[in-house]
Amino acid sequence: MSDVTTGENLLFLTDEQLRQGIEAMYFAYRGFTADPDRILAGMAYGRAHHRAIHFINRAPGTTVNNLLLLLGVTKQSLNRVLRTLIEDGLVESRVGTVDKRERHLFLTEAGEALERRLSDAQRARMRTAYRTAGPQAVAGFRQVLEAMMDPDMRRRYHAMRESGA
Amino acid sequence: MSDVTTGENLLFLTDEQLRQGIEAMYFAYRGFTADPDRILAGMAYGRAHHRAIHFINRAPGTTVNNLLLLLGVTKQSLNRVLRTLIEDGLVESRVGTVDKRERHLFLTEAGEALERRLSDAQRARMRTAYRTAGPQAVAGFRQVLEAMMDPDMRRRYHAMRESGA
DNA sequence: CTTGGAATGTCAACAAGACTGACTTAAGGT
DNA sequence: ACCTTAAGTCAGTCTTGTTGACATTCCAAG
């Protein structure tokens, strides 16, 4: 351990440092959502639709229940969003083959097109930020974010990474 | 430049890495807001009240207009929040002495008490995350967050740090 | 000095997206 | 047969965002 991490030199843990971190998180999240929000503003969609599309793309064939756990909203709330996406032909809902109670969700071609448009914008900002800060900083960024998650979310986040990559 | 940052070794900039970063940001932000949300759930307040209280505490005497720029909402939206906080005796609004159109905002003792309760909870999570990840990671975290902000927000974020610390 | 425009803040009405609670339908599992 | 689980629906509420209209105050140009 270096001297910054021990004794009275825990300078990165002062209240002022923590407050600045909180504000940085707040302002950065605004930037993080700004580009997709702008794209969606024109259509009849919002951030809720984006989140659904994102996770259906990440885990094609996921069930409604699984999506519910990832998004942390009520089924009534998700249902409203999902219904419009299905009606508009962006998402397809297939009855489960092994368990017919389940609905498996997939993006249609139109859904994938919108997903790409949204995630291109979001990744472009992320890429610029990553490039500006450099690989070391990115590693630290990821470490702190992970430590900030609730344990449940951290589990789901890891599960997603394993199946995804 | 080290070899990770050049040539074909830009591994931290792959689409998969960026997607994981996006998801980490999403899940971490949920954790970030969870504790204050829980505290506020009981009262008739929400995240919007928290944000107002936070920034009034950070910049006592700030005007409504300045708060508007920080929060990025319409004045009508902020006004509703502010009105309830004033009615409930958490915020005091003083008519400007030099420009009587302006209202200067301050936390009352009750307001400061709630601010402390909310920010204690949020800082506790932040402190744990920082301690877990370590000072190097925290530095990287801050760098990436800053690079993710919109330029306007970055300016305001820096202005806040100068006056605050 | 007056008057018109800009800045600041307030009121009212509405929409999106979250919530709870109650209920239905269909399919599994014991 | 009975209970549970998955999904969907209907109704009502809350928070927080939006627009539009309006009042007050300031300031500067005529």
Side-chain angles (χ1 to χ4, degrees):
Chain A
M1 267 190 179
S2 78
D3 38 340
V4 233
T5 65
T6 55
E8 311 210 337
N9 274 329
L10 295 163
L11 290 180
F12 73 113
L13 292 176
T14 61
D15 271 16
E16 178 56 28
Q17 283 294 314
L18 294 168
R19 277 186 196 277
Q20 287 183 14
I22 287 168
E23 278 159 13
M25 192 71 188
Y26 168 69
F27 287 123
Y29 195 78
R30 296 244 318 254
F32 173 71
T33 56
D35 304 313
D37 280 0
R38 244 189 305 275
I39 293 172
L40 291 165
M43 331 185 190
Y45 299 144
R47 216 173 278 181
H49 301 84
H50 181 194
R51 289 194 286 255
I53 288 174
H54 174 94
F55 284 113
I56 293 173
N57 176 254
R58 274 299 256 187
T62 187
T63 62
V64 172
N65 224 352
N66 186 44
L67 206 49
L68 241 33
L69 293 172
L70 283 172
L71 297 177
V73 296
T74 58
K75 62 176 174 178
Q76 293 91 330
S77 193
L78 176 58
N79 195 256
R80 184 172 359 93
V81 166
L82 236 34
R83 191 166 40 207
T84 68
L85 290 174
I86 291 169
E87 278 169 8
D88 296 353
L90 300 181
V91 168
E92 196 192 341
S93 165
R94 298 185 205 150
V95 174
T97 48
V98 359
D99 187 336
K100 288 180 192 161
R101 289 172 306 178
E102 294 179 337
R103 300 296 133 89
H104 299 278
L105 303 170
F106 299 88
L107 293 185
T108 63
E109 288 211 3
E112 283 178 0
L114 179 56
E115 195 284 329
R116 216 169 304 124
R117 216 176 131 208
L118 293 169
S119 90
D120 278 354
Q122 201 160 34
R123 278 205 309 275
R125 183 185 290 254
M126 211 72 180
R127 187 178 298 112
T128 304
Y130 272 22
R131 207 192 297 276
T132 303
Q136 288 257 302
V138 169
F141 170 71
R142 294 282 297 270
Q143 280 175 51
V144 175
L145 286 188
E146 229 184 282
M148 278 178 58
M149 296 177 196
D150 273 343
D152 280 10
M153 287 301 118
R154 196 175 307 130
R155 249 194 320 100
R156 294 198 184 104
Y157 169 68
H158 280 129
M160 180 134 287
R161 288 177 53 182
E162 282 151 29
S163 67
Chain B
M1 265 191 179
S2 80
D3 38 339
V4 230
T5 66
T6 56
E8 311 209 340
N9 273 328
L10 295 163
L11 289 180
F12 72 113
L13 292 177
T14 62
D15 272 16
E16 178 57 27
Q17 282 294 314
L18 294 168
R19 276 186 197 277
Q20 287 183 15
I22 287 168
E23 277 158 13
M25 192 71 187
Y26 168 70
F27 287 124
Y29 196 77
R30 296 240 323 249
F32 174 71
T33 55
D35 304 314
D37 280 359
R38 244 189 306 276
I39 293 173
L40 292 164
M43 330 184 192
Y45 299 143
R47 217 173 274 182
H49 300 84
H50 180 195
R51 290 196 284 254
I53 288 174
H54 174 94
F55 285 112
I56 294 173
N57 177 254
R58 276 296 257 186
T62 187
T63 62
V64 172
N65 217 5
N66 186 45
L67 207 49
L68 240 34
L69 293 172
L70 284 171
L71 297 177
V73 296
T74 58
K75 60 184 175 172
Q76 294 90 330
S77 188
L78 175 58
N79 193 256
R80 184 170 356 88
V81 166
L82 238 32
R83 189 167 45 209
T84 68
L85 290 174
I86 291 168
E87 277 168 9
D88 296 352
L90 300 181
V91 167
E92 196 191 343
S93 164
R94 298 184 205 151
V95 174
T97 47
V98 5
D99 187 336
K100 285 179 192 161
R101 289 173 304 180
E102 294 180 337
R103 302 294 133 89
H104 298 276
L105 303 170
F106 301 87
L107 292 185
T108 63
E109 290 211 1
E112 283 177 0
L114 179 55
E115 195 285 328
R116 217 168 303 124
R117 218 177 129 206
L118 293 169
S119 89
D120 279 353
Q122 203 160 32
R123 278 203 310 275
R125 182 184 291 253
M126 211 72 180
R127 189 178 296 113
T128 304
Y130 273 21
R131 206 192 297 274
T132 302
Q136 289 255 300
V138 169
F141 169 72
R142 293 283 297 270
Q143 280 174 52
V144 176
L145 287 188
E146 233 186 278
M148 280 179 56
M149 296 178 197
D150 273 341
D152 280 11
M153 286 301 119
R154 195 175 310 128
R155 250 195 319 100
R156 293 196 185 105
Y157 170 67
H158 280 129
M160 180 136 286
R161 289 177 53 182
E162 283 151 28
S163 68

